Amino acid sequence: MADARPASVVHRSLDGYRFQISGGLDLREPFTSVGRYAVDGRLYELTSGGHSVATGWTRDLGVSRFDDEFSLPNGRLRTVRVTDYDKRSGLEDQLLAVVWEGKRFSLFVPMYNAKPADAVHLFQLLGVTEHTDGLTVASRNPKRAGIAEPAEMVKEVPDLGLLQMTALNKTTARRLPSWRGAKLPHGELFRDTLDDDSTYFVLATPSAMVTVLPHEDVSSKVPARLSALKVETVA
């Protein structure tokens, strides 16, 4: 049977950057993009991706149907009230689960102690645009709303791990390790450890920064597999 794996994929992050990923790896898994937006003094975390991303989130919350639905110029907004239980803290929060749906892509945002009218208000200040490779979200009123930090692209790659990508610019470059990394064909590779002593990698390419959280069973093979990985932002 022929291998249906694409040679490369392009995904768009919420802040508009388009990431082209290639390198002979299995790139068929879906992507998500996470962006934090400040609106009227409050911070909201938006997550976008294919429709399965939002349905997976609402399924985890135990949602079987929505309470309200609103038509927007380029999509629809759906909301439902749920009780979010944090197993670690034992606390409960009253959550408004908010999902924006377009033709191919969706995004979701949890809103605490909020009403459906608050969700409508949020998307009056944040405009969503659907493209063939993802969603972008931009402020309609810069004095009241705007992105709080660079958006992140997240993608699972089998036999490698979880890739977390941002565009490399003056802001994100500050996150790079202070020491010199190993030279690879498409960038510079850094190795470091998390607080739990697990290993992770950072690949800095000319236009992107990629944090790699490897699967435990392939950690030692990651540097060799990353030597073929090419991640770049494209117009």
Side-chain angles (χ1 to χ4, degrees):
M1 183 180 293
D3 190 345
R5 295 188 298 180
S8 68
V9 294
V10 177
H11 303 310
R12 190 183 297 260
S13 66
L14 284 170
D15 56 1
Y17 285 100
R18 301 175 69 235
F19 293 86
Q20 181 168 300
I21 310 165
S22 58
L25 299 169
D26 187 347
L27 303 174
R28 291 174 290 184
E29 292 297 312
F31 74 95
T32 61
S33 179
V34 181
R36 294 173 179 85
Y37 291 78
V39 180
D40 285 342
R42 300 189 65 176
L43 196 63
Y44 298 93
E45 182 172 282
L46 280 63
T47 302
S48 70
H51 292 316
S52 61
V53 171
T55 55
W57 178 64
T58 54
R59 188 186 309 116
D60 289 343
L61 290 174
V63 172
S64 58
R65 61 183 298 274
F66 288 89
D67 295 331
D68 297 285
E69 181 174 316
F70 306 91
S71 295
L72 300 177
N74 55 350
R76 64 176 177 174
L77 192 64
R78 308 175 80 188
T79 68
V80 59
R81 296 175 182 85
V82 296
T83 300
D84 186 25
Y85 179 72
D86 190 321
K87 294 181 180 179
R88 289 183 296 179
S89 66
L91 300 176
E92 292 182 350
D93 278 313
Q94 295 304 310
L95 170 69
L96 185 71
V98 180
V99 175
W100 182 99
E101 293 182 350
K103 293 181 179 179
R104 294 181 55 192
F105 299 99
S106 298
L107 67 79
F108 67 83
V109 52
M111 298 180 68
Y112 294 93
N113 301 313
K115 306 181 296 295
D118 297 320
V120 173
H121 176 72
L122 180 70
F123 284 91
Q124 287 174 338
L125 294 175
L126 295 177
V128 184
T129 303
E130 185 167 20
H131 307 268
T132 58
D133 50 11
L135 302 176
T136 56
V137 175
S139 173
R140 287 190 171 122
N141 187 334
K143 292 183 179 180
R144 299 177 59 186
I147 194 165
E149 57 190 68
E152 185 176 79
M153 178 70 65
V154 181
K155 186 177 181 70
E156 186 83 23
V157 178
D159 299 322
L160 183 59
L162 188 70
L163 306 186
Q164 300 174 335
M165 296 161 274
T166 60
L168 187 61
N169 51 40
K170 291 182 179 179
T171 300
T172 57
R174 301 190 190 105
R175 306 175 188 170
L176 289 173
S178 58
W179 59 91
R180 181 170 296 180
K183 292 294 184 181
L184 294 183
H186 305 296
E188 188 173 7
L189 183 65
F190 304 87
R191 180 173 182 157
D192 205 351
T193 55
L194 299 170
D195 291 339
D196 62 0
D197 292 328
S198 59
T199 299
Y200 74 96
F201 300 86
V202 176
L203 176 64
T205 77
S207 60
M209 183 173 70
V210 186
T211 299
V212 183
L213 304 177
H215 297 144
E216 291 183 5
D217 57 337
V218 300
S219 184
S220 62
K221 302 176 183 178
V222 166
R225 291 176 180 173
L226 286 177
S227 65
L229 181 67
K230 186 176 183 180
V231 180
E232 57 187 337
T233 59
V234 294

